[in-house]
Amino acid sequence: MLRRRLNRWLGRDERRVDSRTICVGHRSSSNNDAFIPTKFCDNRIVSSKYTVWNFLPKNLFEQFRRIANFYFLIIFLVQVIVDTPTSPVTSGLPLFFVITVTAIKQGYEDWLRHKADNEVNKYPVTVLEQGRRIQKESEKIKVGDVVEVDEDETFPCDLILLQSSRDDDTCFVTTASLDGESNHKTHYIVPDTEKDLESLNATIECEQPQPDLYKFVGRMHIYKTEQEPAVRSLGPENLLLKGSTLKNTQRICGVAIYTGMETKMALNYQGKSQKRSAVEKSINAFLLVYLCILVSKALVCTTLKYVWQSKPGQDEPWYNEKTQREKETNLYLKMFTDFLSFMVLFNFIIPVSMYVTVEMQKFLGSFFITWDKDFFDPEIKEGALVNTSDLNEELGQVEYVFTDKTGTLTQNNMEFIECCIDGFQYKYQDAGTELDGFCVTDGPVNKVQQKAGREKEELFLRALCLCHTVQVKESTEQGQVQRDGLMDQVDGLTEDGEVLHPPQEQRGFIASSPDEVALVKGAMRYGFTFLGFESKTMKILTRDNDVERYELLHVLNFDPVRRRMSVIVRSKSGDTLLFCKGADSSIFPRVRQEEVERIRMNVERNATEGYRTLCVAYKYLSAEEYAQADAGLREARLALQDREEKLMAVYNQVETGMSLIGATAVEDRLQEEAAETMEALQGAGIKVWVLTGDKMETAKSTCYACRLFQRNTELLELTVRTLEDGSRRREERLHELLLEYHKKAVQDAPPVKAGVTRTWSSANQDYGFIIDGATLSMVLNSSSESNSSRYKNLFLQICQNCTSVLCCRMAPLQKAQIVKMVKNSKGSPITLSIGDGANDVSMILEAHVGIGIKGKEGRQAVRNSDYAIPKLKHLKKLLLAHGHLYYVRIAHLVQYFFYKNLCFILPQFLYQFFCGYSQQPLYDAAYLTMYNICFTSMPILAYSLLEQHICIEVLLDNATLYRGIAKNGMLRWGPFLYWTLLGVFHGLLFFFGVRYLFGNPALQDNGQVFGNWSYGTIVFTVLVFTVTLKLALDTRHWTWINHFVIWGSLAFYVFFSFFWGGIIWPFLRQQRLYFVFANMLSSVSAWLVIILLILLSLLPEILLVVFRKPRGPHAGQKKPVHSSAGGHQSPRSSARPLLMRTFSDESNTVI
């Protein structure tokens, strides 16, 4: 990193901008001896935040950036330096506790990151050097090293494939940890490389590291003795990415081109930053207000003190003469010291104990998620996991959910449903039925009813068996295949219903797309079995038990613009055939139109049912047509410039004039209750965006199946396909489409009421937005800075006015960019990302809240998430129930803490007007210390853990209740002002109510009067009882724990006051409260004023509770609900306490 910056500063970075040159095996070419190899970064991965040396200063710096921590540090230092009315211990101990606990927690988390980094960096790898295999640690790999990787191992860096153990010079990899796709992808070795890598003399010229997983451009110069250097182009098909896993290939060798933090996986990793909740930001804002109140009080008292002392005889009365040192003290220094003393005296208005209570509430509250039995999944025998307890309340504030598709919304498990051949529907089932006017066959097509004709049926099934890139997994690995869920028994039947192939004829398939496996398995159900490749020959077993062989001549790969793929094969009889399958919109224009109508109705019906539909066509190629196509394809594949465009032209030329045979319907099974969960989230006012690396067609089908897109939803598509306009530049077309969509979705749309996400009436049009990764790059990285900003604003406004947004073909870093863009948009909405693979880590880390799903794609997402759940369906309860309750609880906790501390300090401030501004405390030091720690802390902690103002069943059944607390509704300035005014009212009532009592000169039977400590003790007693009973009135859900801590706290206060004042403590220099409390309670007047002031303070609250009409869905619950323990509950709170629910064996939760 330092070297790169120095190069940039010294102007030596120009050559690195375009490309890098690498010598394979560090052997320089014969005609390039003068070449000086460039130094590249090593292969170490660093994800940790601290080191042993910088942990203490860096961690302390980060913690004291929090305004509260810094403020309490200043107060502590003032108490140490200046002679103040209170001890430094009162603020020093809580601060030390908070700092220490946080440092231990963050240090442990970083130690785990160091441990994970070492596991990767110290992993042993095999490197070929001078013909020998040498074991090295992964971190010691250098660019140019030839690395050997065995089956099921992960690639330690980005490699160019040079050699494979497979006969067809290919290898298979899975990229689940990169893009979430668990399917096998085929990669190819560089043509014309030496079999003996020791004798290979070559250099590679390729682009500099960049994060796009799907793009790579380079070329390889192969030098041979007395021959011109051969140049071979390199593309993504030759590049093996770090994090991918080798499958179904015994061994490969490749040359390292990107290492360490320059690999595509590392460039897509988003560094973990400290997340802060909206509640914490509100606390900081409220803290500033109370700081202003504190400074104002101190300034007023300091000013009035010197005004009062300016009067004759007040500054130095006869009974309190100044010392010589006091007389010589500088006036301004004395004023400043007095100001600081007043600051310390009133400091309790800002409660350091609130931060300790909030930390405890978050930590203990997170256990309710872990203990919730509704989150337990019997399949993996695990429940929910909380990695970060700091964000519990943020779960109740989510406005945008960004979800992955593969493995999150879907199970990534495609199943063949039915097919249509020549207009006749074939559904694999036992009983025949009539559907939409199509005749359904009784089971396999070789039964009596062969509506489409045997020839057409067999041609269609041959197309399914040949038009794909599926590989057969060897039978020796069947156990693993079964575990992977890729096993399917051959279901071919004879005309008599007998099994054609014995049970051992079970095959597992691997392919780059799960729907290809589903189609091959679908053909097996009807008696045609794909047996695999033999060199360049494809073998299939027909339902007549004959083995047919076809020579594979060319594969015309799928791409998102064409939306189809084809194969050219030659049969044993010498016929050359082209089989093509693809989306209906791509196939229909290329076949005879009279054939289309027979198929179209089936395709449309399947699409509306949420199935993935593909049409199948074929074409016989004459010798001249094939020769022309073969020459065009070979020439295009060798092109270094515009290779994709040239291949596209040949593909389009060949794939014309085809005959349509039929169509297929494949279902990508959704996760359990995925549609219901998405519907509930939208009902709660949450907007759902799907961010996936998958193809658009698949993702669109999933969105329909999840009800994110409805039948009446108008889709606004902004993809490479819609930008293809021969007469216009892509950027011009992008600008035109953005303006068109903006007019339609934003300008012409009727105003939407706040919180409404979907209009169910037909009066207003719903819009869905679709964008792909390539177009998103154009939007975010336009050539012009002004255009880029304008495109981004248009794009955001369109998306925010759509019910759902689908982003397909996304690289992991693009997912994070989308989340960041929305997160930083106007209003700073709270975002949540959910995914199950390592490709989702970047967006999980970028969002305010990151959720990992404990899926099949490893645990990278779970390790980097804030919360982990077994299934997508659990997100509903996590947000609508737990999130809602956590937010309400902590919002009440924060407001209550500021309120009770204002009640506490306001009498102290008013007391200064009656004691000559002498900084005389109203309360005893023990009361000052114990008020927040013991007397009033436990009731609010219990409330913030157990309160259920609305029962969980109602929260789950009425998703709209979630909107009521949206946008930090309970911590806005309105509620804050209410609590502040309530605190002022109570503080004034406490002080002047007791002062009115003291207007009576004889409060005791013996005629003696009370002193100043009795005055403060009566005020304090009224204070403690009032704020505790106020919380009791706010409690909607009583448990034995609430009763214990509320009444127990009041009892403890009375007991402590008797005990503290009833004994002479030898360690105290002065004992202010000796028998004061007991003496106070001997007065009937004191009892009367205490009871009257408590009642007067709480009277408005009591009247509000009595006369307030119940609101919300829970208001109609008249019948009491009996708990499983046989208890009886009030109508206002029909759910058992959350604590009881999580421990009980039964759950009444309605999902």
Side-chain angles (χ1 to χ4, degrees):
M1 182 71 73
L2 181 62
R3 185 177 69 244
R4 195 181 307 163
R5 288 179 180 172
L6 285 172
N7 282 339
R8 193 177 295 119
W9 290 338
L10 297 173
R12 294 185 299 193
D13 207 36
E14 288 80 3
R15 190 171 57 82
R16 293 174 51 83
V17 171
D18 297 326
S19 64
R20 58 168 56 186
T21 302
I22 300 153
C23 293
V24 177
H26 305 289
R27 291 184 291 274
S28 60
S29 57
S30 57
N31 58 353
N32 198 19
D33 292 330
F35 174 72
I36 301 173
T38 311
K39 287 186 178 180
F40 302 105
C41 74
D42 58 28
N43 200 38
R44 278 184 304 155
I45 293 292
V46 180
S47 64
S48 55
K49 192 175 180 180
Y50 305 107
T51 65
V52 175
W53 310 110
N54 71 8
F55 173 73
L56 200 60
K58 192 173 180 180
N59 186 264
L60 287 176
F61 172 73
E62 287 180 351
Q63 291 207 57
F64 284 117
R65 283 169 62 191
R66 290 175 68 173
I67 186 171
N69 289 347
F70 183 71
Y71 166 76
F72 290 121
L73 176 66
I74 296 298
I75 291 295
F76 172 70
L77 293 176
V78 168
Q79 288 178 295
V80 170
I81 297 167
V82 181
D83 182 18
T84 57
T86 55
S87 167
V89 177
T90 54
S91 57
L93 270 179
L95 177 65
F96 177 76
F97 174 75
V98 171
I99 295 294
T100 305
V101 169
T102 308
I104 291 171
K105 176 186 167 190
Q106 292 180 354
Y108 175 71
E109 288 174 351
D110 203 63
W111 176 75
L112 292 178
R113 285 194 286 270
H114 272 283
K115 191 177 177 184
D117 288 346
N118 282 332
E119 285 180 11
V120 174
N121 293 332
K122 303 295 182 185
Y123 189 81
V125 294
T126 304
V127 177
L128 303 183
E129 287 185 2
Q130 299 174 356
R132 293 180 295 121
R133 287 181 170 81
I134 297 174
Q135 287 283 328
K136 278 187 178 181
E137 291 177 345
S138 175
E139 65 182 0
K140 294 181 180 175
I141 294 175
K142 298 176 183 176
V143 172
D145 282 349
V146 178
V147 181
E148 184 178 276
V149 180
D150 292 331
E151 185 172 9
D152 293 326
E153 285 186 354
T154 301
F155 301 120
C157 56
D158 291 351
L159 305 169
I160 291 294
L161 181 60
L162 300 177
Q163 193 179 80
S164 171
S165 61
R166 293 182 64 90
D167 296 335
D168 55 2
D169 292 337
T170 63
C171 76
F172 297 99
V173 303
T174 57
T175 56
S177 64
L178 294 172
D179 58 12
E181 295 185 13
S182 57
N183 314 302
H184 290 60
K185 295 179 173 61
T186 308
H187 289 258
Y188 303 89
I189 70 168
V190 182
D192 301 330
T193 52
E194 302 284 347
K195 293 293 181 185
D196 180 15
L197 294 181
E198 180 60 28
S199 60
L200 176 64
N201 193 357
T203 60
I204 293 173
E205 190 179 349
C206 63
E207 62 186 359
Q208 286 295 339
Q210 53 102 352
D212 195 328
L213 298 176
Y214 308 107
K215 284 186 180 178
F216 176 72
V217 176
R219 56 189 173 191
M220 187 171 180
H221 300 264
I222 303 172
Y223 302 97
K224 297 185 179 178
T225 311
E226 298 179 358
Q227 290 184 19
E228 283 292 317
V231 181
R232 294 290 176 262
S233 61
L234 304 176
E237 68 276 5
N238 309 117
L239 181 65
L240 305 174
L241 299 177
K242 177 183 176 70
S244 304
T245 305
L246 185 65
K247 291 289 184 183
N248 213 38
T249 309
Q250 287 183 357
R251 182 180 291 108
I252 64 98
C253 292
V255 59
I257 57 165
Y258 304 130
T259 52
M261 301 307 287
E262 291 184 340
T263 58
K264 288 184 181 287
M265 185 179 84
L267 292 174
N268 274 282
Y269 177 76
Q270 186 83 3
K272 194 161 189 174
S273 60
Q274 190 176 3
K275 295 181 179 181
R276 292 179 182 172
S277 69
V279 169
E280 188 173 340
K281 293 171 186 172
S282 295
I283 292 175
N284 289 339
F286 298 161
L287 196 65
L288 286 173
V289 173
Y290 272 69
L291 266 174
C292 293
I293 296 174
L294 172 62
V295 172
S296 302
K297 284 182 176 181
L299 279 172
V300 167
C301 286
T302 307
T303 305
L304 291 177
K305 176 178 181 176
Y306 283 92
V307 169
W308 184 73
Q309 288 184 353
S310 65
K311 296 176 182 177
Q314 301 289 4
D315 185 28
E316 192 176 0
W318 60 269
Y319 57 85
N320 191 17
E321 292 184 3
K322 291 184 179 179
T323 63
Q324 189 62 31
R325 185 180 176 184
E326 286 175 333
K327 289 177 181 178
E328 292 172 356
T329 305
N330 182 280
L331 176 64
Y332 294 105
L333 180 61
K334 186 76 172 69
M335 289 174 70
F336 181 68
T337 307
D338 283 333
F339 172 75
L340 291 179
S341 296
F342 279 119
M343 285 282 289
V344 170
L345 184 64
F346 302 144
N347 169 53
F348 293 92
I349 195 174
I350 298 183
V352 65
S353 59
M354 180 179 71
Y355 286 89
V356 181
T357 309
V358 166
E359 290 289 331
M360 291 177 67
Q361 190 268 351
K362 289 182 175 182
F363 174 71
L364 296 173
S366 64
F367 285 106
F368 291 125
I369 295 176
T370 310
W371 292 335
D372 195 327
K373 292 190 174 182
D374 289 340
F375 290 157
F376 183 79
D377 183 44
E379 289 181 26
I380 60 173
K381 292 182 170 52
E382 289 184 44
L385 177 69
V386 178
N387 294 325
T388 306
S389 59
D390 295 339
L391 303 170
N392 293 343
E393 66 278 5
E394 209 81 326
L395 295 169
Q397 293 294 294
V398 175
E399 296 175 58
Y400 285 85
V401 167
F402 299 93
T403 174
D404 180 38
K405 182 191 76 72
T406 310
T408 303
L409 290 176
T410 69
Q411 300 177 15
N412 199 24
N413 185 14
M414 299 277 190
E415 184 182 7
F416 185 89
I417 300 297
E418 62 180 65
C419 60
C420 167
I421 306 174
D422 201 27
F424 296 95
Q425 182 192 10
Y426 291 81
K427 196 161 189 171
Y428 189 74
Q429 56 186 29
D430 295 331
T433 57
E434 290 289 330
L435 276 179
D436 293 344
F438 291 103
C439 182
V440 183
T441 60
D442 275 334
V445 294
N446 52 347
K447 286 284 184 180
V448 180
Q449 296 177 343
Q450 295 175 356
K451 293 293 178 183
R454 185 181 180 93
E455 185 180 345
K456 277 283 181 71
E457 290 171 356
E458 292 190 350
L459 185 63
F460 176 80
L461 295 171
R462 284 190 182 93
L464 293 188
C465 283
L466 296 171
C467 188
H468 55 73
T469 55
V470 174
Q471 300 281 334
V472 176
K473 195 163 180 70
E474 287 78 2
S475 57
T476 55
E477 297 172 330
Q478 282 185 7
Q480 179 63 36
V481 173
Q482 284 175 322
R483 283 193 296 274
D484 290 345
L486 296 174
M487 189 60 86
D488 202 322
Q489 185 169 342
V490 176
D491 292 317
L493 302 174
T494 63
E495 292 191 4
D496 298 325
E498 296 174 357
V499 177
L500 268 176
H501 315 300
Q504 61 264 29
E505 278 291 335
Q506 292 181 337
R507 299 183 179 276
F509 300 107
I510 52 177
S512 60
S513 175
D515 59 345
E516 290 205 321
V517 174
L519 293 178
V520 171
K521 288 182 177 181
M524 288 171 64
R525 290 182 175 180
Y526 297 109
F528 270 70
T529 307
F530 173 61
L531 300 177
F533 282 89
E534 197 173 84
S535 187
K536 290 285 185 180
T537 304
M538 303 176 77
K539 297 188 296 180
I540 60 175
L541 185 69
T542 68
R543 60 188 174 198
D544 295 328
N545 222 11
D546 296 330
V547 176
E548 296 180 351
R549 288 178 169 81
Y550 293 85
E551 182 187 356
L552 180 62
L553 302 173
H554 287 286
V555 176
L556 283 57
N557 289 318
F558 178 91
D559 67 71
V561 177
R562 286 169 57 240
R563 298 199 296 169
R564 60 185 181 276
M565 71 91 61
S566 303
V567 294
I568 301 176
V569 295
R570 181 175 290 137
S571 65
K572 200 171 184 181
S573 60
D575 292 331
T576 305
L577 294 99
L578 177 138
F579 289 109
C580 180
K581 70 179 181 192
D584 55 321
S585 58
S586 175
I587 298 290
F588 285 168
R590 299 180 169 273
V591 298
R592 299 186 185 95
Q593 291 308 302
E594 61 269 16
E595 299 169 339
V596 170
E597 294 307 317
R598 296 201 295 268
I599 307 293
R600 188 191 298 276
M601 193 184 299
N602 246 12
V603 171
E604 289 178 353
R605 179 178 55 82
N606 288 330
T608 56
E609 291 171 356
Y611 297 140
R612 169 91 185 268
T613 58
L614 289 174
C615 295
V616 181
Y618 79 103
K619 175 184 179 181
Y620 280 100
L621 295 176
S622 64
E624 293 79 14
E625 286 176 317
Y626 172 69
Q628 184 181 355
D630 182 60
L633 289 168
R634 291 182 186 278
E635 181 184 348
R637 282 176 179 149
L638 289 174
L640 292 176
Q641 301 292 329
D642 302 324
R643 187 193 310 177
E644 291 181 2
E645 287 78 1
K646 291 178 180 177
L647 280 172
M648 192 76 68
V650 180
Y651 291 168
N652 289 333
Q653 184 181 347
V654 176
E655 295 168 333
T656 53
M658 299 182 291
S659 298
L660 188 63
I661 324 172
T664 62
V666 174
E667 181 185 18
D668 186 2
R669 289 180 181 172
L670 292 178
Q671 288 278 6
E672 187 182 350
E673 296 180 28
E676 291 82 354
T677 303
M678 293 297 106
E679 210 163 38
L681 294 182
Q682 289 192 320
I686 299 171
K687 293 199 173 185
V688 182
W689 291 31
V690 179
L691 311 183
T692 177
D694 215 337
K695 303 180 185 71
M696 188 184 79
E697 290 77 18
T698 314
K700 196 196 292 184
S701 299
T702 304
C703 287
Y704 274 112
C706 285
R707 302 173 198 162
L708 294 174
F709 293 158
Q710 302 286 330
R711 290 189 183 185
N712 64 337
T713 303
E714 183 178 341
L715 298 182
L716 310 177
E717 189 178 323
L718 197 65
T719 61
V720 173
R721 190 167 60 88
T722 58
L723 295 182
E724 288 296 328
D725 187 346
S727 61
R728 315 278 305 266
R729 283 175 58 245
R730 275 191 176 184
E731 194 155 329
E732 291 176 3
R733 178 68 177 153
L734 172 67
H735 188 225
E736 180 187 310
L737 280 175
L738 280 171
L739 289 175
E740 178 189 330
Y741 293 160
H742 185 269
K743 185 176 186 303
K744 186 179 290 187
V746 182
Q747 296 174 12
D748 296 345
V752 180
K753 292 180 182 178
V756 178
T757 57
R758 186 185 291 282
T759 307
W760 296 104
S761 65
S762 57
N764 297 325
Q765 176 65 52
D766 283 342
Y767 293 102
F769 193 76
I770 301 175
I771 189 170
D772 60 10
T775 314
L776 181 68
S777 295
M778 293 176 66
V779 171
L780 299 180
N781 309 311
S782 176
S783 53
S784 164
E785 189 70 30
S786 59
N787 276 353
S788 179
S789 176
R790 190 173 180 212
Y791 291 167
K792 199 184 295 185
N793 288 334
L794 286 171
F795 170 68
L796 255 178
Q797 289 177 36
I798 295 167
C799 291
Q800 288 169 345
N801 278 269
C802 292
T803 53
S804 295
V805 177
L806 167 62
C807 304
C808 47
R809 279 309 193 195
M810 291 281 125
L813 203 57
Q814 285 183 309
K815 292 183 177 184
Q817 286 175 333
I818 286 271
V819 176
K820 186 176 183 179
M821 182 173 63
V822 174
K823 189 171 80 170
N824 296 333
S825 64
K826 186 179 178 182
S828 301
I830 303 299
T831 57
L832 178 147
S833 293
I834 181 168
D836 70 321
N839 62 309
D840 304 314
V841 167
S842 290
M843 74 170 183
I844 284 173
L845 293 174
E846 183 61 52
H848 292 95
V849 183
I851 308 278
I853 288 186
K854 298 179 177 181
K856 303 173 184 176
E857 309 295 353
R859 290 298 171 97
Q860 293 94 330
V862 171
R863 283 200 299 269
N864 286 278
S865 65
D866 302 307
Y867 302 89
I869 51 177
K871 294 279 179 67
L872 176 73
K873 67 177 182 178
H874 298 136
L875 184 64
K876 178 182 175 182
K877 186 176 183 184
L878 187 66
L879 296 187
L880 302 190
H882 286 282
H884 187 117
L885 292 174
Y886 279 133
Y887 174 76
V888 170
R889 291 164 181 166
I890 201 164
H892 199 284
L893 182 150
V894 171
Q895 300 278 30
Y896 177 79
F897 249 100
F898 280 111
Y899 149 77
K900 75 183 181 71
N901 277 56
L902 184 58
C903 291
F904 181 40
I905 287 303
L906 186 58
Q908 175 73 73
F909 170 68
L910 296 171
Y911 186 59
Q912 296 306 303
F913 291 86
F914 298 90
C915 68
Y917 314 100
S918 60
Q919 298 149 21
Q920 167 69 29
L922 176 64
Y923 313 116
D924 183 69
Y927 285 164
L928 284 170
T929 306
M930 302 280 281
Y931 176 72
N932 280 316
I933 294 176
C934 298
F935 298 149
T936 59
S937 59
M938 293 308 294
I940 185 59
L941 179 61
Y943 176 95
S944 64
L945 289 172
L946 304 172
E947 174 63 4
Q948 290 183 31
H949 65 299
I950 302 174
C951 70
I952 289 180
E953 287 80 2
V954 174
L955 288 173
L956 291 174
D957 289 341
N958 298 275
T960 50
L961 291 172
Y962 191 85
R963 298 179 189 174
I965 58 168
K967 296 188 179 293
N968 209 9
M970 293 182 66
L971 286 175
R972 290 180 185 165
W973 292 109
F976 173 71
L977 185 62
Y978 162 76
W979 281 94
T980 302
L981 292 176
L982 186 66
V984 170
F985 166 67
H986 283 176
L988 291 170
L989 192 62
F990 300 159
F991 184 82
F992 288 107
V994 177
R995 186 172 181 275
Y996 180 76
L997 166 72
F998 271 63
N1000 180 357
L1003 293 175
Q1004 301 184 69
D1005 295 337
N1006 57 11
Q1008 292 181 350
V1009 294
F1010 283 153
N1012 65 312
W1013 295 114
S1014 298
Y1015 185 96
T1017 304
I1018 295 176
V1019 172
F1020 192 78
T1021 303
V1022 176
L1023 165 71
V1024 170
F1025 273 79
T1026 301
V1027 297
T1028 305
L1029 293 174
K1030 157 77 175 133
L1031 187 65
L1033 286 173
D1034 287 342
T1035 303
R1036 297 283 182 272
H1037 198 90
W1038 285 90
T1039 68
W1040 66 266
I1041 297 175
N1042 294 93
H1043 283 290
F1044 178 77
V1045 295
I1046 286 177
W1047 313 123
S1049 292
L1050 296 176
F1052 174 73
Y1053 164 67
V1054 174
F1055 171 77
F1056 175 82
S1057 297
F1058 273 117
F1059 187 68
W1060 181 248
I1063 298 175
I1064 297 176
W1065 300 99
F1067 55 83
L1068 292 178
R1069 286 185 297 174
Q1070 52 189 6
Q1071 195 156 345
R1072 298 161 173 167
L1073 288 190
Y1074 184 66
F1075 261 84
V1076 167
F1077 191 76
N1079 197 35
M1080 177 193 79
L1081 293 185
S1082 66
S1083 168
V1084 177
S1085 303
W1087 277 94
L1088 181 64
V1089 80
I1090 289 170
I1091 294 170
L1092 275 176
L1093 288 178
I1094 292 172
L1095 288 175
L1096 280 173
S1097 300
L1098 297 177
L1099 186 62
E1101 287 288 319
I1102 295 168
L1103 293 175
L1104 196 65
V1105 169
V1106 170
F1107 293 109
R1108 180 176 53 193
K1109 290 182 179 179
R1111 291 181 299 172
H1114 59 294
Q1117 295 179 351
K1118 300 294 182 186
K1119 293 182 181 179
V1121 177
H1122 294 273
S1123 68
S1124 57
H1128 191 75
Q1129 294 181 328
S1130 65
R1132 186 168 52 184
S1133 180
S1134 62
R1136 285 173 290 150
L1138 187 58
L1139 186 65
M1140 299 299 106
R1141 292 170 50 73
T1142 51
F1143 279 118
S1144 65
D1145 292 328
E1146 298 178 15
S1147 176
N1148 296 330
T1149 305
V1150 180
I1151 299 291

